[in-house]
Amino acid sequence: MARGPEQRQLPAKPGPARGDPEGDGKTRPLGIPTVKDRIVQTALKLTIEPILEARFRDGSYGFRPGRGCKDALRAVDRALKDGYAWVVDADLERYFDTIPRRDLMARLGDLISDGRVLELIDSFLQQDIMTETARWTPVAGAPQGAVISPILSNLYLHPLDELMEAEGYRMIRYADDFVVLCRDEAQARAALARVQAWVADNGLTLHPDKTHVGDCRQPGQGFDFLGYRFEAGRRYVRDKSLKAFKDKIRARTGRSRGVSLDHVIADLNPVLRGWFGYFKHARARLFTQLDKFIRRRLRAMLRKQSRRPGFGKSYADHRQWTNAYFATRGLFTLSTALRQARHSR
């Protein structure tokens, strides 16, 4: 395998190419490996994963075998119930793009002695970035979208996991998203200082507007983590996650979409099932509201297809296309799924 494997990285600025959306409306670059490179990177990951997994700490949940978002959320719930209500909510700014590559390879070299494996991994990290008009080689970071990047990103933050665990802090991390849960404000302030020092010493940056300390039992001092909002003794779907879900529904239920209702429902149901599977611990009222929103979108689409003028009357639409009508056509209903899930417990 030659150095500099082929891989196209998409631009972060708006344009015809895609990117992974960020919260501020920008997009982050995504590395899209060729099929051959994906196979090689998968083999590399399977080779080094047992070595690194033997060292990774319990507080790390992202991109690890047998662990996932729900495990991290359960860990947060347990800590809050144990009285760890003061939170350090930290956000690493452009983490994947700014990992110091030389330091990353040094940490990998401390654990892996095979020079051929190290050289191959380094070649993937040094791939060129291409846009329609330019091509250059980045000097830092691990390409997002590459198979090998998640495990390497975990490796770089592993010393932070060790530090916080050794000092008795309850840090819960999913990739570059992490919170430190503490018993009081003094401990939280001390934890933030330790995180800030480690981040600065390791060539990274905390986002100044997205890192804060607060008592999540108090209104307005909660924190977002993995799609949920934890605040005032409650856990609910955060606004950003809710907006993204509604945007997906809108994209599939446009009034001018020229396809049948059955086609639209078949397109919607996987999205609805997946969202319910992750957010089924949200308040029951939310599911009822979302069901109404989805059916309202479908009625507007059917009204358009039947060439009825204007926006129509809600009562007339409901009478013509009842809730039961959509159920008989196979529409997945969030509130019904919630009742069934709670009944089966």
Side-chain angles (χ1 to χ4, degrees), residues 288-325:
T288 301
Q289 293 170 344
L290 289 173
D291 283 334
K292 290 179 179 179
F293 167 75
I294 293 163
R295 287 191 292 258
R296 187 165 61 248
R297 296 283 305 178
L298 293 174
R299 289 184 180 112
M301 184 190 71
L302 291 171
R303 187 189 318 117
K304 175 76 172 180
Q305 292 178 353
S306 63
R307 300 183 184 279
R308 289 172 54 181
F311 288 97
K313 295 181 179 180
S314 177
Y315 177 74
D317 288 348
H318 188 90
R319 185 172 56 182
Q320 180 167 356
W321 300 296
T322 64
N323 295 356
Y325 170 79

Side-chain angles (χ1 to χ4, degrees), residues 13-229:
K13 60 183 179 181
R18 293 183 298 108
D20 189 23
E22 298 198 66
D24 53 8
K26 300 178 182 179
T27 56
R28 61 169 68 91
L30 294 180
I32 310 299
T34 63
V35 173
K36 181 173 68 174
D37 289 341
R38 184 171 291 276
I39 293 171
V40 174
Q41 289 190 28
T42 300
L44 282 171
K45 175 180 177 291
L46 293 175
T47 299
I48 68 176
E49 188 172 66
I51 301 171
L52 303 188
E53 273 295 317
R55 291 163 173 80
F56 287 165
R57 311 311 303 164
D58 287 342
S60 169
Y61 292 89
F63 310 116
R64 297 186 59 189
R67 289 171 163 243
C69 293
K70 292 183 179 180
D71 300 303
L73 290 167
R74 280 192 285 266
V76 170
D77 281 332
R78 286 194 300 269
L80 293 175
K81 290 176 181 177
D82 290 342
Y84 292 81
W86 278 88
V87 62
V88 178
D89 183 10
D91 185 278
L92 290 170
E93 191 169 16
R94 298 178 59 243
Y95 171 61
F96 277 82
D97 298 334
T98 58
I99 299 173
R101 188 174 300 150
R102 181 179 297 177
D103 295 342
L104 172 62
M105 290 305 301
R107 291 177 190 181
L108 194 60
D110 290 339
L111 302 174
I112 297 172
S113 59
D114 192 322
R116 295 168 300 178
V117 170
L118 295 173
E119 183 179 2
L120 190 55
I121 292 173
D122 192 43
S123 72
F124 280 108
L125 294 176
Q126 294 188 50
Q127 65 203 358
D128 285 350
I129 293 177
M130 294 187 296
T131 68
E132 286 78 3
T133 59
R135 175 172 179 164
W136 69 95
T137 302
V139 297
Q144 295 187 75
V147 178
I148 201 70
S149 293
I151 193 169
L152 296 180
S153 70
N154 271 337
L155 172 63
Y156 197 75
L157 291 179
H158 171 62
L160 177 61
D161 296 338
E162 289 185 310
L163 172 66
M164 302 308 285
E165 182 181 289
E167 297 195 359
Y169 295 113
R170 295 182 72 161
M171 186 172 89
I172 299 161
R173 181 173 67 82
Y174 191 96
D176 58 331
D177 191 3
F178 63 90
V179 292
V180 186
L181 295 162
C182 305
R183 288 195 177 276
D184 54 47
E185 182 177 6
Q187 187 182 43
R189 297 290 178 188
L192 176 59
R194 294 297 281 151
V195 170
Q196 289 172 326
W198 188 93
V199 166
D201 289 344
N202 286 270
L204 303 174
T205 305
L206 285 178
H207 197 296
D209 300 325
K210 297 181 180 180
T211 300
H212 78 281
V213 170
D215 181 354
C216 70
R217 294 168 296 190
Q218 305 302 318
Q221 296 190 42
F223 63 97
D224 295 336
F225 189 61
L226 299 180
Y228 279 95
R229 178 75 178 173

